[in-house]
PDB file of all heavy atoms in Angstrom:
ATOM      1  N   TYR A  94     -18.883  46.860 -64.010  1.00  0.00           N
ATOM      2  CA  TYR A  94     -17.769  46.063 -64.469  1.00  0.00           C
ATOM      3  C   TYR A  94     -16.439  46.779 -64.184  1.00  0.00           C
ATOM      4  O   TYR A  94     -16.410  47.986 -64.085  1.00  0.00           O
ATOM      5  CB  TYR A  94     -17.881  45.806 -66.006  1.00  0.00           C
ATOM      6  CG  TYR A  94     -18.800  44.645 -66.307  1.00  0.00           C
ATOM      7  CD1 TYR A  94     -20.197  44.793 -66.213  1.00  0.00           C
ATOM      8  CD2 TYR A  94     -18.281  43.379 -66.654  1.00  0.00           C
ATOM      9  CE1 TYR A  94     -21.054  43.716 -66.442  1.00  0.00           C
ATOM     10  CE2 TYR A  94     -19.152  42.323 -66.885  1.00  0.00           C
ATOM     11  CZ  TYR A  94     -20.508  42.496 -66.799  1.00  0.00           C
ATOM     12  OH  TYR A  94     -21.369  41.435 -67.019  1.00  0.00           O
ATOM     13  N   ARG A  95     -15.385  45.963 -64.096  1.00  0.00           N
ATOM     14  CA  ARG A  95     -14.065  46.496 -63.841  1.00  0.00           C
ATOM     15  C   ARG A  95     -13.167  46.253 -65.035  1.00  0.00           C
ATOM     16  O   ARG A  95     -13.236  45.215 -65.690  1.00  0.00           O
ATOM     17  CB  ARG A  95     -13.427  45.859 -62.603  1.00  0.00           C
ATOM     18  CG  ARG A  95     -13.922  46.418 -61.264  1.00  0.00           C
ATOM     19  CD  ARG A  95     -13.399  45.602 -60.116  1.00  0.00           C
ATOM     20  NE  ARG A  95     -13.428  46.269 -58.862  1.00  0.00           N
ATOM     21  CZ  ARG A  95     -13.147  45.761 -57.675  1.00  0.00           C
ATOM     22  NH1 ARG A  95     -12.794  44.472 -57.615  1.00  0.00           N
ATOM     23  NH2 ARG A  95     -13.238  46.451 -56.581  1.00  0.00           N
ATOM     24  N   VAL A  96     -12.296  47.230 -65.361  1.00  0.00           N
ATOM     25  CA  VAL A  96     -11.251  47.060 -66.344  1.00  0.00           C
ATOM     26  C   VAL A  96      -9.947  46.756 -65.600  1.00  0.00           C
ATOM     27  O   VAL A  96      -9.713  47.338 -64.528  1.00  0.00           O
ATOM     28  CB  VAL A  96     -11.102  48.345 -67.184  1.00  0.00           C
ATOM     29  CG1 VAL A  96     -10.128  48.118 -68.337  1.00  0.00           C
ATOM     30  CG2 VAL A  96     -12.445  48.817 -67.734  1.00  0.00           C
ATOM     31  N   TYR A  97      -9.143  45.864 -66.123  1.00  0.00           N
ATOM     32  CA  TYR A  97      -7.902  45.502 -65.440  1.00  0.00           C
ATOM     33  C   TYR A  97      -6.740  45.370 -66.425  1.00  0.00           C
ATOM     34  O   TYR A  97      -6.965  45.181 -67.635  1.00  0.00           O
ATOM     35  CB  TYR A  97      -8.063  44.186 -64.666  1.00  0.00           C
ATOM     36  CG  TYR A  97      -8.422  42.951 -65.559  1.00  0.00           C
ATOM     37  CD1 TYR A  97      -7.437  42.321 -66.274  1.00  0.00           C
ATOM     38  CD2 TYR A  97      -9.738  42.556 -65.692  1.00  0.00           C
ATOM     39  CE1 TYR A  97      -7.747  41.188 -67.112  1.00  0.00           C
ATOM     40  CE2 TYR A  97     -10.060  41.457 -66.508  1.00  0.00           C
ATOM     41  CZ  TYR A  97      -9.084  40.814 -67.199  1.00  0.00           C
ATOM     42  OH  TYR A  97      -9.381  39.739 -68.029  1.00  0.00           O
ATOM     43  N   LEU A  98      -5.531  45.455 -65.880  1.00  0.00           N
ATOM     44  CA  LEU A  98      -4.327  45.086 -66.615  1.00  0.00           C
ATOM     45  C   LEU A  98      -3.765  43.855 -65.937  1.00  0.00           C
ATOM     46  O   LEU A  98      -3.600  43.838 -64.712  1.00  0.00           O
ATOM     47  CB  LEU A  98      -3.314  46.198 -66.555  1.00  0.00           C
ATOM     48  CG  LEU A  98      -3.517  47.408 -67.471  1.00  0.00           C
ATOM     49  CD1 LEU A  98      -2.554  48.537 -67.113  1.00  0.00           C
ATOM     50  CD2 LEU A  98      -3.364  47.011 -68.935  1.00  0.00           C
ATOM     51  N   ALA A  99      -3.529  42.796 -66.682  1.00  0.00           N
ATOM     52  CA  ALA A  99      -2.994  41.559 -66.123  1.00  0.00           C
ATOM     53  C   ALA A  99      -1.677  41.201 -66.737  1.00  0.00           C
ATOM     54  O   ALA A  99      -1.486  41.340 -67.965  1.00  0.00           O
ATOM     55  CB  ALA A  99      -4.011  40.409 -66.352  1.00  0.00           C
ATOM     56  N   TRP A 100      -0.738  40.729 -65.894  1.00  0.00           N
ATOM     57  CA  TRP A 100       0.596  40.361 -66.369  1.00  0.00           C
ATOM     58  C   TRP A 100       0.820  38.890 -66.216  1.00  0.00           C
ATOM     59  O   TRP A 100       0.528  38.327 -65.140  1.00  0.00           O
ATOM     60  CB  TRP A 100       1.614  41.181 -65.559  1.00  0.00           C
ATOM     61  CG  TRP A 100       3.044  41.032 -65.983  1.00  0.00           C
ATOM     62  CD1 TRP A 100       3.720  41.749 -66.918  1.00  0.00           C
ATOM     63  CD2 TRP A 100       4.041  40.139 -65.394  1.00  0.00           C
ATOM     64  NE1 TRP A 100       5.034  41.347 -66.998  1.00  0.00           N
ATOM     65  CE2 TRP A 100       5.234  40.379 -66.064  1.00  0.00           C
ATOM     66  CE3 TRP A 100       3.980  39.204 -64.378  1.00  0.00           C
ATOM     67  CZ2 TRP A 100       6.415  39.688 -65.754  1.00  0.00           C
ATOM     68  CZ3 TRP A 100       5.138  38.499 -64.053  1.00  0.00           C
ATOM     69  CH2 TRP A 100       6.348  38.729 -64.742  1.00  0.00           C
ATOM     70  N   PHE A 101       1.408  38.253 -67.238  1.00  0.00           N
ATOM     71  CA  PHE A 101       1.607  36.830 -67.210  1.00  0.00           C
ATOM     72  C   PHE A 101       3.096  36.405 -67.330  1.00  0.00           C
ATOM     73  O   PHE A 101       3.456  35.273 -67.141  1.00  0.00           O
ATOM     74  CB  PHE A 101       0.865  36.141 -68.358  1.00  0.00           C
ATOM     75  CG  PHE A 101      -0.604  36.380 -68.309  1.00  0.00           C
ATOM     76  CD1 PHE A 101      -1.178  37.510 -68.910  1.00  0.00           C
ATOM     77  CD2 PHE A 101      -1.459  35.529 -67.595  1.00  0.00           C
ATOM     78  CE1 PHE A 101      -2.557  37.747 -68.810  1.00  0.00           C
ATOM     79  CE2 PHE A 101      -2.827  35.758 -67.493  1.00  0.00           C
ATOM     80  CZ  PHE A 101      -3.383  36.877 -68.098  1.00  0.00           C
ATOM     81  N   GLY A 102       3.937  37.394 -67.642  1.00  0.00           N
ATOM     82  CA  GLY A 102       5.353  37.136 -67.817  1.00  0.00           C
ATOM     83  C   GLY A 102       5.948  38.287 -68.603  1.00  0.00           C
ATOM     84  O   GLY A 102       5.231  39.175 -69.087  1.00  0.00           O
ATOM     85  N   ALA A 103       7.253  38.320 -68.745  1.00  0.00           N
ATOM     86  CA  ALA A 103       7.940  39.412 -69.410  1.00  0.00           C
ATOM     87  C   ALA A 103       7.343  39.678 -70.801  1.00  0.00           C
ATOM     88  O   ALA A 103       7.270  38.795 -71.626  1.00  0.00           O
ATOM     89  CB  ALA A 103       9.433  39.114 -69.522  1.00  0.00           C
ATOM     90  N   GLY A 104       6.890  40.934 -71.003  1.00  0.00           N
ATOM     91  CA  GLY A 104       6.329  41.343 -72.273  1.00  0.00           C
ATOM     92  C   GLY A 104       4.957  40.807 -72.565  1.00  0.00           C
ATOM     93  O   GLY A 104       4.467  40.926 -73.682  1.00  0.00           O
ATOM     94  N   MET A 105       4.296  40.256 -71.535  1.00  0.00           N
ATOM     95  CA  MET A 105       2.969  39.705 -71.765  1.00  0.00           C
ATOM     96  C   MET A 105       1.957  40.305 -70.806  1.00  0.00           C
ATOM     97  O   MET A 105       1.723  39.780 -69.683  1.00  0.00           O
ATOM     98  CB  MET A 105       2.971  38.181 -71.619  1.00  0.00           C
ATOM     99  CG  MET A 105       3.754  37.474 -72.720  1.00  0.00           C
ATOM    100  SD  MET A 105       3.310  35.697 -72.830  1.00  0.00           S
ATOM    101  CE  MET A 105       3.555  35.182 -71.197  1.00  0.00           C
ATOM    102  N   THR A 106       1.376  41.432 -71.203  1.00  0.00           N
ATOM    103  CA  THR A 106       0.331  42.084 -70.411  1.00  0.00           C
ATOM    104  C   THR A 106      -0.920  42.209 -71.283  1.00  0.00           C
ATOM    105  O   THR A 106      -0.820  42.449 -72.502  1.00  0.00           O
ATOM    106  CB  THR A 106       0.781  43.503 -69.998  1.00  0.00           C
ATOM    107  OG1 THR A 106       1.937  43.407 -69.155  1.00  0.00           O
ATOM    108  CG2 THR A 106      -0.331  44.219 -69.238  1.00  0.00           C
ATOM    109  N   LYS A 107      -2.078  41.982 -70.714  1.00  0.00           N
ATOM    110  CA  LYS A 107      -3.317  42.087 -71.427  1.00  0.00           C
ATOM    111  C   LYS A 107      -4.264  43.012 -70.670  1.00  0.00           C
ATOM    112  O   LYS A 107      -4.161  43.220 -69.470  1.00  0.00           O
ATOM    113  CB  LYS A 107      -3.990  40.772 -71.666  1.00  0.00           C
ATOM    114  CG  LYS A 107      -4.396  40.023 -70.407  1.00  0.00           C
ATOM    115  CD  LYS A 107      -5.492  38.972 -70.689  1.00  0.00           C
ATOM    116  CE  LYS A 107      -6.865  39.640 -70.846  1.00  0.00           C
ATOM    117  NZ  LYS A 107      -7.983  38.709 -70.943  1.00  0.00           N
ATOM    118  N   VAL A 108      -5.232  43.541 -71.409  1.00  0.00           N
ATOM    119  CA  VAL A 108      -6.295  44.342 -70.804  1.00  0.00           C
ATOM    120  C   VAL A 108      -7.574  43.518 -70.882  1.00  0.00           C
ATOM    121  O   VAL A 108      -7.750  42.741 -71.820  1.00  0.00           O
ATOM    122  CB  VAL A 108      -6.475  45.714 -71.499  1.00  0.00           C
ATOM    123  CG1 VAL A 108      -6.846  45.532 -72.987  1.00  0.00           C
ATOM    124  CG2 VAL A 108      -7.526  46.561 -70.814  1.00  0.00           C
ATOM    125  N   GLY A 109      -8.431  43.638 -69.908  1.00  0.00           N
ATOM    126  CA  GLY A 109      -9.672  42.892 -69.924  1.00  0.00           C
ATOM    127  C   GLY A 109     -10.697  43.508 -68.989  1.00  0.00           C
ATOM    128  O   GLY A 109     -10.459  44.456 -68.326  1.00  0.00           O
TER     129      GLY A 109
END
Side-chain angles (χ1 to χ4, degrees):
Y94 277 76
R95 281 174 161 173
V96 187
Y97 61 81
L98 284 170
W100 185 86
F101 300 89
M105 291 199 308
T106 299
K107 63 158 283 188
V108 60

